[in-house]
Amino acid sequence: MIVLILAVAGLIALFELPRLYRNQLWGELATVILFLLAGLAIALPTAMGIFVPSPIKPLEAMFMPIYEAIKAALVPVPSG
Amino acid sequence: MVPDLDGGFIRSRQVFTLLITTVLATNILFLPAIAAAEAKQDAWLTPVLATVSGLAVIFVVTELGRLFPDRNLAGYGEAILGPYLGRLLALAYFLYLLTINAIILREMAEFLIAVFMPETPLVVFVALGAVAAAYAARGGIEVVARVNEFIFPMFLGALLLIFILALPDARPARLLPFLENGIGPVLVGSLTPSAWRSETFTLAFYLPLVSDRERARSAGLAAVVFMSILLTADALLNVMVLGSSTARLLFPTFEVARLINIANFLNRIDPVFMALWITSVTVKIAIFHYVTVITAAQASGLREYRPLVFPAAFLLVALSVIVFSNVQELVAFVSKTFPILGNLFQILIPTLLLIVALIRGFRAPRRGSAGVARARPADAAAPGRPAAAG
């Protein structure tokens, strides 16, 4: 699985990067590398069995209380 | 001027079908159970209420599009709030869209695993879906719109077929008692549908590419009304066929399709529904991926978005696999966090942008003046963009 992930990332890099380098599109080049590295940073630990925390956890912590408050205001009896 | 990243053009008729696919594709499968969890037998009222937010979003988005004809939602912030806050807002939208698309991708995979192929690893569905969607997104909005035009009538046909064939199983009495616990549960149950309906805000990202712009608003409003009718019919049917168990099932509409049995002859038509549903969700993911990558390119001031499509898809797949550890977490997020988060990004922020723009005195450029007469100092001071910033 790890080999496969690296191969996919490598293929995408081979497919996109040479043209960007030739045309001196440095911003595009940097963004492509950033996306691939971010993807690898998530995918490789997951493939090795290391738990990667989900980015939605902080979102849930921020927004779920608002939902619960709205619900409590609108539904007087807690429903199952 | 914001550089035109795409180079393609779509018609307002394509906007109509694009918007319907954007909302309907996943809504039809996931939402009925979530809405029914709060609203019970009144679940069919929630799509009606959500229509209001859908119409409001189209109105706000097209009004912003009238004020800034050559910008999209990732560019409005820069025009209205200045370069720094604007870039920050575009970055926030990029992260939001990426996360939401990872969730949509996961929804598709979870559905396929739950009902058709329980043995196949998750990453297979996620990766295949992302590759297909990224390939379409790389072609530009024109390609996505044309693929959608081809698929949409078939998806609609399959849906209507299911509606008609399921009618013999429908028991209107299951809709009673009407408003048993007052309007409160229906309002709470409408929050998620409202967040879902306002996904029509993606129009704000490709509005500058609509060639007959003056018809974009009516096309958008018509799309919202049309999808509301379909979703209300769907919700009515779910409750009438499945009764109170609608809330306990994961995919009520799909169960309705499975229950269809005409004279012990016409049955098991759910694979038809599945095939068309997958194509439709793939188009939805393509729309979101296109919008995500366009936003990323604009947030970092790039001249091209196409090189970013596949690298972003790689990140999308990785994110989609780790975003939830099981389908229950997905349902919990979609029913409790997404209603607030979605409404914030899709309704509240665009509305605030419009209000700030109006307060700061932006006026729509006159027809034919090609955006030159946007007579505000803030805008005139920043005509050029920094060439390339990573």
Side-chain angles (χ1 to χ4, degrees), chain B residues 168 185 203 242 253 389:
Chain B
L203 169 64
L242 302 167
T253 309

Side-chain angles (χ1 to χ4, degrees), chain B residues 12 35 60-61 77 116 144 146 160 179 182 186 235 240 249 270 281-282 285 293 299 326 359 365 368 383:
Chain B
S12 56
V60 168
V61 159
F116 289 107
V144 179
R146 276 162 199 264
L160 292 177
L179 290 184
V186 179
M240 285 199 292
L249 296 164
D270 44 287
V281 171
T282 309
I285 296 164
V293 178
N326 52 49
I359 289 173

Side-chain angles (χ1 to χ4, degrees), chain A residues 16 19-20 25 27-28 31-32 35-36 39-40 42 46 54-57 59-60 63-64 67-68 71 74, chain B residues 38 94 138 184 188 302-304 307-308 311-312 314-315 318-319 322-324 329 333 335-337 340-341:
Chain A
E16 301 287 4
R19 194 183 66 85
L20 297 178
L25 294 164
E28 282 80 351
T31 318
V32 165
F35 281 171
L36 287 176
L40 285 176
I42 297 172
T46 310
S54 167
I56 60 152
K57 291 296 168 208
L59 293 176
E60 280 188 329
F63 293 104
M64 221 195 275
Y67 174 83
E68 298 293 355
K71 187 179 163 181
L74 286 172
Chain B
E38 292 299 334
F94 163 68
R138 198 179 158 94
V188 175
L302 304 181
R303 276 169 291 167
E304 284 191 37
L308 306 184
F314 182 71
L315 176 57
L319 199 59
I322 62 132
V323 71
F324 303 113
E329 275 191 35
F333 176 84
S335 50
K336 294 202 165 77
T337 308
I340 309 298
L341 180 70

